[in-house]
Amino acid sequence: MKEREFVSVFRSSKKSDTYIYVRRGQVWEDLPESLRGIFGQPVHSMDLIMTPDRKLARTTGKQVLEALAEKDFYLQMPEEHDSYVVDFRKKPEHRDK
């Protein structure tokens, strides 16, 4: 793992709140075909210098750098929320209990 890496961040055109971190200049066609198919057309969000101590919204710079060293990308998926499932058998005032 490098101590610092110039990284490009792209958002997915198919999946909301899904991002991929790659080394700047990464050739999209060199990433796994299955990943490209699910991710869709990448939309550039930003470039940044990644260091192990960098704090990000859902991960750390260390995790991103380790993933880049291991598989050439870091995929950030949306957070899961328990509130996505609603028990419609209960009355609305009793659903959270």
Side-chain angles (χ1 to χ4, degrees), residues 17-63:
D17 215 17
T18 302
Y19 296 86
I20 191 165
Y21 295 69
V22 294
R23 288 180 190 90
R24 186 162 187 231
Q26 170 76 44
V27 177
W28 185 247
E29 289 73 25
D30 290 345
L31 294 173
E33 184 177 338
S34 56
L35 172 69
R36 295 191 325 258
I38 292 169
F39 195 82
Q41 185 65 32
V43 179
H44 185 261
S45 293
M46 70 178 112
D47 293 318
L48 49 92
I49 296 175
M50 189 65 64
T51 60
D53 59 338
R54 186 172 191 116
K55 304 272 191 267
L56 300 165
R58 293 193 194 146
T59 189
T60 65
K62 182 179 181 200
Q63 289 175 314

Side-chain angles (χ1 to χ4, degrees), residues 70-88:
E70 182 180 321
K71 53 189 175 187
D72 294 330
F73 67 91
Y74 175 82
L75 184 62
Q76 177 180 298
M77 302 291 288
E79 291 181 340
E80 292 187 25
H81 298 283
D82 292 336
S83 62
Y84 288 151
V85 179
V86 176
D87 188 352
F88 290 104

